[in-house]
Amino acid sequence: MKLFITGLTGYLGCFVKHYLDDCNISYVSLSRKEGIIGNLEKWEGGISELDFEVLTKTKFDAFLHMAALYDLKASKAKCQMANVVGTSHALRIAQKLKIPHFIHISSIAAAINSPFPNVSPYDLAFDRDFPDFYSESKAQAEQLVRNFVGPFGRLNVRLGILVGDTQNGLIQRLDGPYTAIKAFESVRKMLKKWPGPLPLPGKETTTLPLVPVDYAAQSIVKLVDDFVRKKDHGTYQSVHLVPKKGL
């Protein structure tokens, strides 16, 4: 199996690369740093004519699109360019290279505004406000993949909240669930003096879909392999990559 991949130089991508190498899966990477040099914010990914000529002669089994901007404080323009325009260009590249399978790595943030207690991996709620531009852009990117008319199967993978790997807890930066650590750190002195149990806001039954990054990477490689083997050309599927029971 041979893959065309974006986002391989990112935090998640580094772990995916490890498992691809373990499985002896060959790949070509598009990034601003190494492999095929390009920029998905530019038309046709900023790939040179010479590189495109070489790529068109290569038979790829799947396009794995992981490249994205993850920043809850980023502007609407930055999120749109990286996550929506970037995904649109990735789809066009896959079409131009006649790659039969397209796998889009998304986030449960795409459905963060869902009104339903049990969210389907196909649910999108554009009639409701999003808490940030990142979430909105991920939902719009999913809609692009879902509605794209092309001769290839499309798989959308919604990742849970990524946390550090299971070996050493390595994480790229302290955000998301890790902000709770900062919050408790700021009131440490008060907590030490607090007499007895400390009541916290929220529901006791609420869980968080935390996914260690190494588990996520291993699962992505497995999902790609399964999707390619099924040969579901022209169909669209969406799945949640989350634990059966959250924390």
Side-chain angles (χ1 to χ4, degrees), residues 118-136:
N118 296 313
V119 182
S120 158
Y122 294 90
D123 287 342
L124 291 171
F126 290 106
D127 58 334
R128 299 168 66 90
D129 291 335
F130 288 87
D132 51 72
F133 296 126
Y134 166 74
S135 301
E136 182 181 28

Side-chain angles (χ1 to χ4, degrees), residues 30 37-48 52 89-90 93:
L30 171 68
I37 303 300
N39 180 351
L40 281 175
E41 295 180 10
K42 298 180 179 180
W43 178 249
E44 293 192 334
I47 301 173
S48 69
F52 249 126
H89 288 165
I93 294 169

